[in-house]
């Protein structure tokens, strides 16, 4: 069962990787991990990347990602896009319209397909995609 207090964390790691030419190179990579705490996020990223670690490995940064949800309808895609979506809601006490925004992380092949995936996922006429951009995130590790 999924714990509702979990958040998404953006985690940057520095590690040794073998390049196509066989040489070792230190690289910086960014991932998203679902966890309840910073410590759990560090433990999970280390655990998830353990099979790929060859030598030095350091978690260099962990921050809370503001994503409300991950949209991964296209799990074969190798890119992730950050979409800022604006909603217009009615404030029941004042009767005024209120604009709120949420961030979504979308796994997709292209910017256009990411935008289409967000629209189909939300399926709501009261939403506007304010911005969408490609990220450097390589993978997302969600809890099952």
């Amino acid at each position: 069962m999924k714990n509702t207090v979990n958040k998404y964390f953006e985690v940057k790691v520095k590690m040794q990787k073998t390049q196509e030419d066989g040489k070792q190179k230190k690289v910086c990579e960014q991932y998203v991990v679902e966890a309840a705490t910073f410590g759990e996020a560090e433990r999970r990223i280390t655990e998830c990347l353990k099979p790929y670690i060859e030598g030095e490995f350091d978690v260099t940064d962990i921050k809370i990602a503001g994503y409300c949800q991950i949209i991964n309808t296209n799990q074969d895609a190798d890119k992730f896009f950050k979409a800022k979506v604006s909603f217009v809601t009615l404030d029941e006490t004042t009767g005024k319209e209120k604009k709120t925004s949420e961030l979504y992380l979308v796994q997709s092949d292209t910017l256009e397909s990411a935008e289409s995936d967000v629209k189909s996922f939300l399926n709501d006429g009261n939403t506007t995609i304010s911005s969408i951009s490609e990220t450097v995130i390589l993978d997302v590790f969600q809890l099952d």
Side-chain angles (χ1 to χ4, degrees), residues 5 22 29 45 50 59 61-62 65 73 85 88 92 95 102 104 110-111 117 119 136 142:
V5 297
E29 298 179 337
I45 195 66
K50 195 174 206 165
V59 176
D61 187 35
I62 300 176
T73 51
V85 178
V88 177
E92 293 180 18
E102 291 182 338
Y104 291 84
T110 64
L111 188 72
D117 291 345
K119 286 179 181 177
V136 294
Q142 290 182 285

PDB file of all heavy atoms in Angstrom, residues 5 22 29 45 50 59 61-62 65 73 85 88 92 95 102 104 110-111 117 119 136 142:
ATOM      1  N   VAL A   5       2.290  10.127   2.689  1.00  0.00           N
ATOM      2  CA  VAL A   5       3.222  11.169   3.098  1.00  0.00           C
ATOM      3  C   VAL A   5       4.479  11.188   2.230  1.00  0.00           C
ATOM      4  O   VAL A   5       5.345  12.029   2.422  1.00  0.00           O
ATOM      5  CB  VAL A   5       3.627  11.047   4.594  1.00  0.00           C
ATOM      6  CG1 VAL A   5       2.424  11.226   5.482  1.00  0.00           C
ATOM      7  CG2 VAL A   5       4.322   9.752   4.876  1.00  0.00           C
ATOM      8  N   GLY A  22      35.271   2.225 -23.467  1.00  0.00           N
ATOM      9  CA  GLY A  22      35.869   1.421 -22.405  1.00  0.00           C
ATOM     10  C   GLY A  22      36.547   2.219 -21.305  1.00  0.00           C
ATOM     11  O   GLY A  22      36.971   1.669 -20.303  1.00  0.00           O
ATOM     12  N   GLU A  29      24.689  12.814 -12.620  1.00  0.00           N
ATOM     13  CA  GLU A  29      23.381  12.446 -13.159  1.00  0.00           C
ATOM     14  C   GLU A  29      22.295  12.839 -12.166  1.00  0.00           C
ATOM     15  O   GLU A  29      22.544  12.939 -10.970  1.00  0.00           O
ATOM     16  CB  GLU A  29      23.319  10.947 -13.429  1.00  0.00           C
ATOM     17  CG  GLU A  29      24.317  10.501 -14.467  1.00  0.00           C
ATOM     18  CD  GLU A  29      24.297   9.011 -14.738  1.00  0.00           C
ATOM     19  OE1 GLU A  29      23.842   8.232 -13.868  1.00  0.00           O
ATOM     20  OE2 GLU A  29      24.727   8.614 -15.828  1.00  0.00           O
ATOM     21  N   ILE A  45      18.180   5.773  -3.596  1.00  0.00           N
ATOM     22  CA  ILE A  45      18.931   5.999  -4.840  1.00  0.00           C
ATOM     23  C   ILE A  45      20.197   5.146  -4.844  1.00  0.00           C
ATOM     24  O   ILE A  45      20.576   4.577  -5.868  1.00  0.00           O
ATOM     25  CB  ILE A  45      19.267   7.498  -5.078  1.00  0.00           C
ATOM     26  CG1 ILE A  45      19.713   7.724  -6.530  1.00  0.00           C
ATOM     27  CG2 ILE A  45      20.322   8.017  -4.141  1.00  0.00           C
ATOM     28  CD1 ILE A  45      18.678   7.489  -7.572  1.00  0.00           C
ATOM     29  N   LYS A  50      22.901   0.687  -7.276  1.00  0.00           N
ATOM     30  CA  LYS A  50      23.981  -0.226  -6.858  1.00  0.00           C
ATOM     31  C   LYS A  50      24.496  -1.119  -7.992  1.00  0.00           C
ATOM     32  O   LYS A  50      25.712  -1.270  -8.154  1.00  0.00           O
ATOM     33  CB  LYS A  50      23.504  -1.075  -5.687  1.00  0.00           C
ATOM     34  CG  LYS A  50      24.605  -1.768  -4.960  1.00  0.00           C
ATOM     35  CD  LYS A  50      24.064  -2.466  -3.726  1.00  0.00           C
ATOM     36  CE  LYS A  50      25.175  -2.580  -2.712  1.00  0.00           C
ATOM     37  NZ  LYS A  50      24.697  -2.910  -1.396  1.00  0.00           N
ATOM     38  N   VAL A  59      26.268  10.938  -3.424  1.00  0.00           N
ATOM     39  CA  VAL A  59      25.035  11.711  -3.568  1.00  0.00           C
ATOM     40  C   VAL A  59      25.435  13.142  -3.282  1.00  0.00           C
ATOM     41  O   VAL A  59      25.889  13.460  -2.181  1.00  0.00           O
ATOM     42  CB  VAL A  59      23.948  11.217  -2.594  1.00  0.00           C
ATOM     43  CG1 VAL A  59      22.723  12.101  -2.692  1.00  0.00           C
ATOM     44  CG2 VAL A  59      23.586   9.769  -2.890  1.00  0.00           C
ATOM     45  N   ASP A  61      23.452  16.054  -4.055  1.00  0.00           N
ATOM     46  CA  ASP A  61      22.370  16.992  -3.762  1.00  0.00           C
ATOM     47  C   ASP A  61      21.046  16.246  -3.705  1.00  0.00           C
ATOM     48  O   ASP A  61      20.805  15.354  -4.518  1.00  0.00           O
ATOM     49  CB  ASP A  61      22.304  18.077  -4.847  1.00  0.00           C
ATOM     50  CG  ASP A  61      21.322  19.197  -4.521  1.00  0.00           C
ATOM     51  OD1 ASP A  61      21.200  19.541  -3.326  1.00  0.00           O
ATOM     52  OD2 ASP A  61      20.686  19.721  -5.457  1.00  0.00           O
ATOM     53  N   ILE A  62      20.233  16.621  -2.742  1.00  0.00           N
ATOM     54  CA  ILE A  62      18.866  16.097  -2.653  1.00  0.00           C
ATOM     55  C   ILE A  62      17.971  17.281  -2.345  1.00  0.00           C
ATOM     56  O   ILE A  62      18.242  18.049  -1.423  1.00  0.00           O
ATOM     57  CB  ILE A  62      18.706  15.054  -1.527  1.00  0.00           C
ATOM     58  CG1 ILE A  62      19.631  13.861  -1.731  1.00  0.00           C
ATOM     59  CG2 ILE A  62      17.250  14.581  -1.453  1.00  0.00           C
ATOM     60  CD1 ILE A  62      19.570  12.846  -0.601  1.00  0.00           C
ATOM     61  N   ALA A  65      11.242  17.781  -4.829  1.00  0.00           N
ATOM     62  CA  ALA A  65      10.726  18.170  -6.143  1.00  0.00           C
ATOM     63  C   ALA A  65       9.257  18.536  -5.959  1.00  0.00           C
ATOM     64  O   ALA A  65       8.541  17.875  -5.227  1.00  0.00           O
ATOM     65  CB  ALA A  65      10.876  17.020  -7.126  1.00  0.00           C
ATOM     66  N   THR A  73       2.872   7.352 -18.919  1.00  0.00           N
ATOM     67  CA  THR A  73       2.088   6.500 -19.804  1.00  0.00           C
ATOM     68  C   THR A  73       2.951   5.895 -20.908  1.00  0.00           C
ATOM     69  O   THR A  73       2.621   4.867 -21.462  1.00  0.00           O
ATOM     70  CB  THR A  73       0.915   7.283 -20.430  1.00  0.00           C
ATOM     71  OG1 THR A  73       1.418   8.490 -21.003  1.00  0.00           O
ATOM     72  CG2 THR A  73      -0.132   7.619 -19.389  1.00  0.00           C
ATOM     73  N   VAL A  85       1.116  23.232 -14.907  1.00  0.00           N
ATOM     74  CA  VAL A  85      -0.284  23.275 -15.318  1.00  0.00           C
ATOM     75  C   VAL A  85      -1.042  24.233 -14.404  1.00  0.00           C
ATOM     76  O   VAL A  85      -0.904  24.165 -13.182  1.00  0.00           O
ATOM     77  CB  VAL A  85      -0.912  21.861 -15.240  1.00  0.00           C
ATOM     78  CG1 VAL A  85      -2.374  21.895 -15.614  1.00  0.00           C
ATOM     79  CG2 VAL A  85      -0.152  20.901 -16.151  1.00  0.00           C
ATOM     80  N   VAL A  88      -8.029  26.883 -12.956  1.00  0.00           N
ATOM     81  CA  VAL A  88      -8.870  27.972 -12.486  1.00  0.00           C
ATOM     82  C   VAL A  88      -9.961  27.344 -11.630  1.00  0.00           C
ATOM     83  O   VAL A  88     -10.704  26.479 -12.082  1.00  0.00           O
ATOM     84  CB  VAL A  88      -9.491  28.761 -13.664  1.00  0.00           C
ATOM     85  CG1 VAL A  88     -10.425  29.844 -13.154  1.00  0.00           C
ATOM     86  CG2 VAL A  88      -8.403  29.356 -14.531  1.00  0.00           C
ATOM     87  N   GLU A  92     -14.917  29.318  -2.791  1.00  0.00           N
ATOM     88  CA  GLU A  92     -16.296  29.236  -2.305  1.00  0.00           C
ATOM     89  C   GLU A  92     -16.662  30.343  -1.328  1.00  0.00           C
ATOM     90  O   GLU A  92     -17.816  30.757  -1.266  1.00  0.00           O
ATOM     91  CB  GLU A  92     -16.544  27.870  -1.671  1.00  0.00           C
ATOM     92  CG  GLU A  92     -16.505  26.750  -2.695  1.00  0.00           C
ATOM     93  CD  GLU A  92     -16.743  25.386  -2.080  1.00  0.00           C
ATOM     94  OE1 GLU A  92     -17.260  25.309  -0.958  1.00  0.00           O
ATOM     95  OE2 GLU A  92     -16.402  24.405  -2.748  1.00  0.00           O
ATOM     96  N   GLY A  95     -16.222  33.755  -3.729  1.00  0.00           N
ATOM     97  CA  GLY A  95     -16.900  33.680  -5.018  1.00  0.00           C
ATOM     98  C   GLY A  95     -16.023  34.105  -6.185  1.00  0.00           C
ATOM     99  O   GLY A  95     -16.485  34.226  -7.310  1.00  0.00           O
ATOM    100  N   GLU A 102       0.295  23.561 -10.647  1.00  0.00           N
ATOM    101  CA  GLU A 102       0.895  22.315 -10.177  1.00  0.00           C
ATOM    102  C   GLU A 102       1.940  21.876 -11.196  1.00  0.00           C
ATOM    103  O   GLU A 102       1.808  22.160 -12.390  1.00  0.00           O
ATOM    104  CB  GLU A 102      -0.162  21.213 -10.024  1.00  0.00           C
ATOM    105  CG  GLU A 102      -1.128  21.448  -8.897  1.00  0.00           C
ATOM    106  CD  GLU A 102      -2.131  20.310  -8.737  1.00  0.00           C
ATOM    107  OE1 GLU A 102      -2.356  19.558  -9.709  1.00  0.00           O
ATOM    108  OE2 GLU A 102      -2.696  20.197  -7.645  1.00  0.00           O
ATOM    109  N   TYR A 104       3.954  18.694 -13.012  1.00  0.00           N
ATOM    110  CA  TYR A 104       3.897  17.278 -13.365  1.00  0.00           C
ATOM    111  C   TYR A 104       5.203  16.913 -14.045  1.00  0.00           C
ATOM    112  O   TYR A 104       5.773  17.716 -14.778  1.00  0.00           O
ATOM    113  CB  TYR A 104       2.736  17.005 -14.328  1.00  0.00           C
ATOM    114  CG  TYR A 104       1.373  17.166 -13.705  1.00  0.00           C
ATOM    115  CD1 TYR A 104       0.766  18.408 -13.610  1.00  0.00           C
ATOM    116  CD2 TYR A 104       0.694  16.063 -13.200  1.00  0.00           C
ATOM    117  CE1 TYR A 104      -0.478  18.549 -13.020  1.00  0.00           C
ATOM    118  CE2 TYR A 104      -0.550  16.193 -12.617  1.00  0.00           C
ATOM    119  CZ  TYR A 104      -1.130  17.439 -12.532  1.00  0.00           C
ATOM    120  OH  TYR A 104      -2.355  17.571 -11.946  1.00  0.00           O
ATOM    121  N   THR A 110       8.964  13.244 -27.064  1.00  0.00           N
ATOM    122  CA  THR A 110       9.119  14.596 -27.602  1.00  0.00           C
ATOM    123  C   THR A 110       8.301  15.584 -26.779  1.00  0.00           C
ATOM    124  O   THR A 110       7.404  15.189 -26.021  1.00  0.00           O
ATOM    125  CB  THR A 110       8.616  14.676 -29.061  1.00  0.00           C
ATOM    126  OG1 THR A 110       7.203  14.410 -29.070  1.00  0.00           O
ATOM    127  CG2 THR A 110       9.345  13.691 -29.962  1.00  0.00           C
ATOM    128  N   LEU A 111       8.598  16.848 -26.963  1.00  0.00           N
ATOM    129  CA  LEU A 111       7.857  17.913 -26.288  1.00  0.00           C
ATOM    130  C   LEU A 111       6.374  17.852 -26.654  1.00  0.00           C
ATOM    131  O   LEU A 111       5.498  17.969 -25.793  1.00  0.00           O
ATOM    132  CB  LEU A 111       8.453  19.267 -26.677  1.00  0.00           C
ATOM    133  CG  LEU A 111       7.935  20.473 -25.941  1.00  0.00           C
ATOM    134  CD1 LEU A 111       8.442  20.481 -24.511  1.00  0.00           C
ATOM    135  CD2 LEU A 111       8.390  21.744 -26.648  1.00  0.00           C
ATOM    136  N   ASP A 117       0.298  14.034 -23.725  1.00  0.00           N
ATOM    137  CA  ASP A 117       0.128  13.120 -22.593  1.00  0.00           C
ATOM    138  C   ASP A 117      -0.465  13.830 -21.379  1.00  0.00           C
ATOM    139  O   ASP A 117      -1.321  13.287 -20.684  1.00  0.00           O
ATOM    140  CB  ASP A 117       1.464  12.479 -22.204  1.00  0.00           C
ATOM    141  CG  ASP A 117       1.978  11.496 -23.244  1.00  0.00           C
ATOM    142  OD1 ASP A 117       1.193  11.092 -24.131  1.00  0.00           O
ATOM    143  OD2 ASP A 117       3.170  11.137 -23.170  1.00  0.00           O
ATOM    144  N   LYS A 119      -2.360  16.577 -21.437  1.00  0.00           N
ATOM    145  CA  LYS A 119      -3.762  16.903 -21.747  1.00  0.00           C
ATOM    146  C   LYS A 119      -4.662  15.680 -21.604  1.00  0.00           C
ATOM    147  O   LYS A 119      -5.743  15.762 -21.048  1.00  0.00           O
ATOM    148  CB  LYS A 119      -3.864  17.491 -23.156  1.00  0.00           C
ATOM    149  CG  LYS A 119      -3.345  18.904 -23.236  1.00  0.00           C
ATOM    150  CD  LYS A 119      -3.442  19.455 -24.646  1.00  0.00           C
ATOM    151  CE  LYS A 119      -2.899  20.875 -24.692  1.00  0.00           C
ATOM    152  NZ  LYS A 119      -2.911  21.436 -26.049  1.00  0.00           N
ATOM    153  N   VAL A 136      16.879  17.133 -17.277  1.00  0.00           N
ATOM    154  CA  VAL A 136      18.065  16.275 -17.372  1.00  0.00           C
ATOM    155  C   VAL A 136      17.879  14.994 -16.563  1.00  0.00           C
ATOM    156  O   VAL A 136      18.816  14.208 -16.412  1.00  0.00           O
ATOM    157  CB  VAL A 136      19.342  17.016 -16.899  1.00  0.00           C
ATOM    158  CG1 VAL A 136      19.654  18.163 -17.837  1.00  0.00           C
ATOM    159  CG2 VAL A 136      19.209  17.483 -15.470  1.00  0.00           C
ATOM    160  N   GLN A 142       9.899   5.095  -8.353  1.00  0.00           N
ATOM    161  CA  GLN A 142       8.707   5.211  -7.534  1.00  0.00           C
ATOM    162  C   GLN A 142       8.568   3.982  -6.647  1.00  0.00           C
ATOM    163  O   GLN A 142       9.080   2.910  -6.959  1.00  0.00           O
ATOM    164  CB  GLN A 142       7.465   5.352  -8.417  1.00  0.00           C
ATOM    165  CG  GLN A 142       7.407   6.700  -9.132  1.00  0.00           C
ATOM    166  CD  GLN A 142       6.152   6.835  -9.963  1.00  0.00           C
ATOM    167  OE1 GLN A 142       6.060   6.233 -11.018  1.00  0.00           O
ATOM    168  NE2 GLN A 142       5.210   7.608  -9.475  1.00  0.00           N
TER     169      GLN A 142
END
